[in-house]
Amino acid sequence: MARLKFGAFLAPHHPIGEHPMLQFRRDLDLVEQLDALGYDEFWCGEHHSSGWEMIASPEMFLAAAGERTKRIKLGTGVVSLPYHHPFNVAQRMVQLDHMTGGRAIFGSGPGALASDAHTLGIDPMTQRDRQDEAIGVIRRLFNGERVTAKSDWFTMNDAALQILPLQEEMPFVVASQISPSGMTLAGKYGIGIISLGSMTTQGLMSLQQQWQFAEDAAKKHGTTVSRADWRVLLSFHIAESREQARKEAGAGLMRWHNEYNVGTLQRPGLTAFSSPDEAVDKTAFVEGAASTIGTPDDLVKTIKNVMDVSGGVGAVIGFVHDWANPEATRRSWDMVARYVVPEINGYVDGLRKSQKFVIENRAIFERAGQAVMAKIMQNEKAAEALKVTGPGRVAIPAVNAPDLQKEAAKR
């Protein structure tokens, strides 16, 4: 079975009140930590309103992250294409790819916040069509074509990129919520997907149907889509025990839900939580919960459920949040890398098998102890030393050590 990739998605969702400069620096510290821990991908988004989401240029942030990291892939999650001239987007992504040594992933979307589109005077009814149009043009530019195009929102005259991406083929990824538009677009162009709607129970349960949208569109347009290029977003906070995770995440989760989702975005159907315990219970401990607040074992169970429900994905991307304080948040990501990733990908299976073999075949290795004793008995002084030699007083691996105390008693 193919290895599951792991990554992080920073919208960001930062509570209002902290110095933005320090938030940016802490976010960069997190990318550096994730790179050192072996995570595969890091994503950050583009927003221009709402207060909580304050990265306006994912390319600029990722360029800085690229200087502090070595191997982690860096994805725009996402560039809202209707907000930009496609040629400028293509140039910035090519520059990012070169500046990061070929680690850029081009993630795009139509724009998630209605307030962003309003700020820029963009009709929401045009956003998805404009994303489609822009992707088609950017792909042509990345292929080295010279493009002349006139649209109701951009014009290109003999446009060609001066330099092409460093990667032979920079990964293209589109964001998908619960509607079929993102998956259909992925199928049309045969590109990757990052499912953002999976952070809700409804979105999690619809994953299989979502994939069908992508496959149907691919069939219609003569392309192919691969589950290996399908990323699913999950939210979690991990600690040594469920009680500790609850204690660390409860108050921040409640604030995020009440102030951002309910108070700021005013998402339909949501009501405010009355306590941190209620926030945790209704987020992570209800039937079909899409979020995990608990132990590494709890997250392993969630991920296996996602694989069953979806039919298989290529990557699990954790949603970066401030439910817990910075120290507990960093420890949560550390625990996922130490315990969840190896459990899911089988990195410790061989160690467990080796231990079990030694335990179950002890009789086979007793001859090693006999060989050691034979050598001891060939030396008169060594044999005499058995009288004062006891367990733990000699540097012999336990599996090879004879029972020296028993032998001394015999003599």
Side-chain angles (χ1 to χ4, degrees):
M1 184 177 68
R3 181 177 74 85
L4 190 66
K5 293 182 179 180
F6 285 81
F9 184 99
L10 176 75
H13 280 190
H14 290 317
I16 299 171
E18 185 178 335
H19 198 312
M21 177 190 71
L22 299 180
Q23 288 177 326
F24 285 134
R25 290 182 177 178
R26 191 169 72 243
D27 290 338
L28 288 169
D29 289 342
L30 176 63
V31 188
E32 193 170 3
Q33 177 194 9
L34 298 177
D35 182 57
L37 289 172
Y39 283 88
D40 299 287
E41 299 176 354
F42 178 86
W43 299 75
C44 74
E46 172 194 353
H47 301 92
H48 307 281
S49 58
S50 88
W52 280 61
E53 302 178 81
M54 23 72 80
I55 289 180
S57 172
E59 305 97 323
M60 185 179 294
F61 182 91
L62 294 175
E67 290 299 296
R68 298 176 59 168
T69 57
K70 297 177 180 178
R71 50 166 300 281
I72 195 168
K73 296 281 189 177
L74 302 167
T76 56
V78 296
V79 173
S80 300
L81 290 180
Y83 303 167
H84 309 275
H85 194 295
F87 187 79
N88 289 336
V89 174
Q91 287 199 114
R92 291 198 302 267
M93 289 306 304
V94 168
Q95 181 171 332
L96 179 64
D97 199 39
H98 280 266
M99 291 181 67
T100 59
R103 290 187 281 146
I105 303 174
F106 176 40
S108 74
L113 297 180
S115 51
D116 285 354
H118 173 76
T119 297
L120 297 170
I122 297 172
D123 182 357
M125 299 301 292
T126 68
Q127 288 177 253
R128 283 158 182 79
D129 289 340
R130 288 186 176 185
Q131 181 195 4
D132 186 349
E133 187 176 16
I135 288 176
V137 168
I138 293 170
R139 284 171 64 85
R140 291 177 61 192
L141 291 169
F142 279 5
N143 287 333
E145 296 182 35
R146 187 170 292 278
V147 178
T148 296
K150 187 173 181 60
S151 171
D152 61 346
W153 61 292
F154 70 84
T155 298
M156 290 187 194
N157 294 319
D158 297 321
L161 297 175
Q162 295 186 99
I163 54 175
L164 297 180
L166 182 60
Q167 299 176 82
E168 187 172 1
E169 186 173 350
M170 185 191 299
F172 268 67
V173 177
V174 292
S176 172
Q177 297 277 359
I178 296 179
S179 74
S181 60
M183 303 298 278
T184 300
L185 197 59
K188 176 180 178 179
Y189 290 104
I191 56 181
I193 306 142
I194 183 167
S195 291
L196 309 181
S198 53
M199 290 195 299
T200 67
T201 300
Q202 180 186 4
L204 186 62
M205 298 309 296
S206 69
L207 286 176
Q208 188 62 262
Q209 179 60 60
Q210 291 284 307
W211 183 251
Q212 191 62 52
F213 291 142
E215 288 192 324
D216 289 346
K219 184 177 181 180
K220 176 181 177 181
H221 293 278
T223 64
T224 59
V225 285
S226 170
R227 288 180 179 270
D229 298 324
W230 186 13
R231 299 158 174 88
V232 172
L233 199 63
L234 295 178
S235 56
F236 50 76
H237 179 73
I238 303 303
E240 289 79 359
S241 67
R242 288 184 179 179
E243 292 73 19
Q244 184 67 23
R246 173 186 291 271
K247 180 180 178 181
E248 292 173 351
L253 168 60
M254 179 178 171
R255 182 180 181 185
W256 171 72
H257 177 83
N258 290 0
E259 293 187 16
Y260 182 69
N261 292 310
V262 178
T264 303
L265 299 186
Q266 302 176 44
R267 295 191 187 278
L270 294 184
T271 58
F273 295 136
S274 60
S275 70
D277 277 338
E278 182 190 11
V280 173
D281 288 338
K282 290 188 175 180
T283 300
F285 293 102
V286 294
E287 186 68 27
S291 300
T292 303
I293 297 175
T295 67
D297 288 341
D298 291 324
L299 184 54
V300 167
K301 183 178 179 181
T302 296
I303 293 173
K304 288 181 177 179
N305 180 58
V306 168
M307 298 298 282
D308 290 340
V309 168
S310 65
V313 302
V316 166
I317 308 297
F319 181 68
V320 180
H321 49 69
D322 285 348
W323 294 353
N325 65 37
E327 293 75 20
T329 298
R330 289 173 66 89
R331 189 170 64 252
S332 173
W333 288 100
D334 179 81
M335 293 187 71
V336 172
R338 290 166 62 194
Y339 302 114
V340 177
V341 174
E343 191 66 36
I344 291 294
N345 285 328
Y347 295 155
V348 294
D349 288 355
L351 297 174
R352 290 193 178 116
K353 290 177 181 177
S354 179
Q355 179 191 36
K356 183 180 179 183
F357 182 82
V358 171
I359 292 171
E360 293 181 348
N361 294 274
R362 185 66 186 92
I364 297 176
F365 309 117
E366 288 182 354
R367 184 164 174 75
Q370 295 170 3
V372 172
M373 181 53 63
K375 284 295 182 183
I376 291 174
M377 299 307 294
Q378 290 174 11
N379 186 292
E380 183 177 344
K381 291 183 178 180
E384 186 64 22
L386 283 179
K387 296 177 181 179
V388 295
T389 301
R393 297 179 185 174
V394 289
I396 302 175
V399 70
N400 294 330
D403 191 336
L404 299 181
Q405 196 172 37
K406 183 178 179 181
E407 292 295 334
K410 286 182 181 179
R411 292 179 59 80

